[in-house]
Amino acid sequence: ERKVDAAAVRQMVRRGMQKLTGKSAPFQHLFKPTDRVGLKINCLGRPLIYTHHEVVQAFCAELEAAGVKPGNIVVWDRFDRHLTDCGFKLADDPKAVRVLASETYSDGPGRLNANVTYTSGKDNPDGREDGGDKSRLSHIFTSDVDKVINLAILKDHALAGVTLCLKNIAFGLCDNNRRFHRREHIGPFIADFCARQDVQDKFTLHIIDGLEGCFDHGPKPGSSADLFRPNTIWFGFDPVALDALGAQAIEAQRKVKGLKPLKRVGRHPQHIELAAKGGLGVADLDKIDVDRLTLG
């Protein structure tokens, strides 16, 4: 059972953001009261691991305290069932924090924008869905929010190596992406998608919820034996740097458990290096500045 001290998480968010920005009022520094702010969470690892409710609630509370109207805050993930399986209640009240999904498991239309697409022939044609070589972006991302906070989690992945900030963007924002679920396609797709200008423009802040992590059998672990508790939240503006740090933490835990490094088992997180080569951030651990804060 997940047991998290909500007050401690709120303090972690406040102090972490102050350290990151160097501002006593970090949310007022980054967000205007008129901004529509999206919180992109990750629920795929249900029922064992997903973005903590307490982390989501802390960010919502800090945004509201900075003057952002509750109705202008959207918590979202790709599928409705993933959200509800994790205890998030879908809601679309314009006066309260909204919880929405881009796609639905029912016959509903979902929230996808046919006018904004990602096109690539560098995929597995056998994995293509109705869109052919096109993937529609989430209408929530393209039209409902002005700025996005990436609330990723700390988790390994059977194909990509890790699911952290970059993968939470690429596979969370568009449909018809099963076609990239091969080792030779997944890394290049993640790096290429995250290089989009609209992604660069809207993703204002990147977070890794490392209160809990998954070091093996991700992205949907079947046993709590695959989980560990770093009790950490990473804050940053560089998703590549955060992914490099998160991958390091996962590798360290694999070593503790006597498991081989991800590269040795054919799961090297190539997309982190590709994103760095594409100028999206820093992947070299020796060049990443890390400030550590401890509560208490």
Side-chain angles (χ1 to χ4, degrees):
E1 183 183 350
R2 288 180 138 197
K3 291 184 179 180
V4 175
D5 184 335
V9 170
R10 180 82 182 270
Q11 187 181 1
M12 290 171 78
V13 169
R14 185 178 294 126
R15 289 185 59 196
M17 288 296 297
Q18 287 173 338
K19 186 68 174 179
L20 175 67
T21 62
K23 305 289 183 180
S24 59
F27 286 87
Q28 288 177 320
H29 174 68
L30 294 174
F31 303 97
K32 301 190 299 289
T34 53
D35 283 336
R36 300 172 303 160
V37 184
L39 306 181
K40 172 61 181 73
I41 65 174
N42 190 308
C43 295
L44 180 63
R46 71 209 188 284
L48 292 179
I49 186 166
Y50 48 88
T51 307
H52 282 83
H53 285 252
E54 293 83 359
V55 172
V56 175
Q57 290 160 0
F59 274 91
C60 288
E62 292 294 332
L63 286 166
E64 289 182 42
V68 179
K69 296 178 181 178
N72 282 345
I73 301 172
V74 181
V75 176
W76 104 90
D77 201 4
R78 186 176 171 192
F79 291 108
D80 55 355
R81 188 184 297 168
H82 293 185
L83 284 158
T84 55
D85 283 351
C86 294
F88 292 96
K89 186 177 180 181
L90 297 172
D92 197 10
D93 181 347
K95 294 182 180 180
V97 172
R98 294 186 290 160
V99 180
L100 305 175
S102 303
E103 299 177 60
T104 175
Y105 273 85
S106 67
D107 294 329
R111 295 173 183 266
L112 294 165
N113 191 338
N115 297 317
V116 184
T117 60
Y118 173 81
T119 304
S120 176
K122 298 177 181 178
D123 62 358
N124 169 26
D126 293 336
R128 292 179 180 178
E129 299 166 29
D130 294 341
D133 66 351
K134 289 183 171 58
S135 296
R136 297 171 293 177
L137 267 65
S138 167
H139 188 279
I140 300 165
F141 172 73
T142 63
S143 306
D144 294 341
V145 298
D146 306 308
K147 296 178 179 178
V148 182
I149 300 174
N150 186 5
L151 294 182
I153 58 177
L154 183 68
K155 184 174 63 171
D156 78 304
H157 189 276
L159 288 174
V162 294
T163 288
L164 301 163
C165 294
L166 295 167
K167 190 173 183 299
N168 194 44
I169 296 170
F171 278 90
L173 263 61
C174 68
D175 72 344
N176 188 24
N177 53 35
R178 192 167 53 202
R179 58 200 176 105
F180 300 111
H181 271 101
R182 279 189 176 178
R183 292 197 199 281
E184 62 266 36
H185 300 131
I186 196 164
F189 162 63
I190 294 171
D192 190 48
F193 189 96
C194 290
R196 288 177 62 106
Q197 194 59 53
D198 51 0
V199 169
Q200 297 291 301
D201 290 344
K202 284 195 178 182
F203 273 84
T204 304
L205 180 64
H206 299 274
I207 308 296
I208 296 178
D209 172 358
L211 297 176
E212 198 168 34
C214 173
F215 61 87
D216 201 23
H217 297 115
K220 194 174 183 296
S223 168
S224 58
D226 296 321
L227 305 182
F228 66 120
R229 293 183 179 275
N231 292 317
T232 301
I233 302 176
W234 282 270
F235 302 81
F237 297 119
D238 180 345
V240 181
L242 284 177
D243 277 20
L245 292 168
Q248 180 186 46
I250 290 171
E251 292 281 32
Q253 183 64 19
R254 290 178 62 82
K255 186 175 182 179
V256 167
K257 294 294 184 179
L259 297 173
K260 294 178 181 177
L262 292 169
K263 192 171 186 176
R264 291 273 302 278
V265 294
R267 293 197 279 148
H268 180 59
Q270 178 194 25
H271 59 279
I272 301 175
E273 295 164 4
L274 291 175
K277 289 177 181 176
L280 303 186
V282 178
D284 186 343
L285 291 167
D286 292 331
K287 296 179 180 179
I288 299 172
D289 292 327
V290 181
D291 288 317
R292 292 177 173 84
L293 297 176
T294 303
L295 293 188

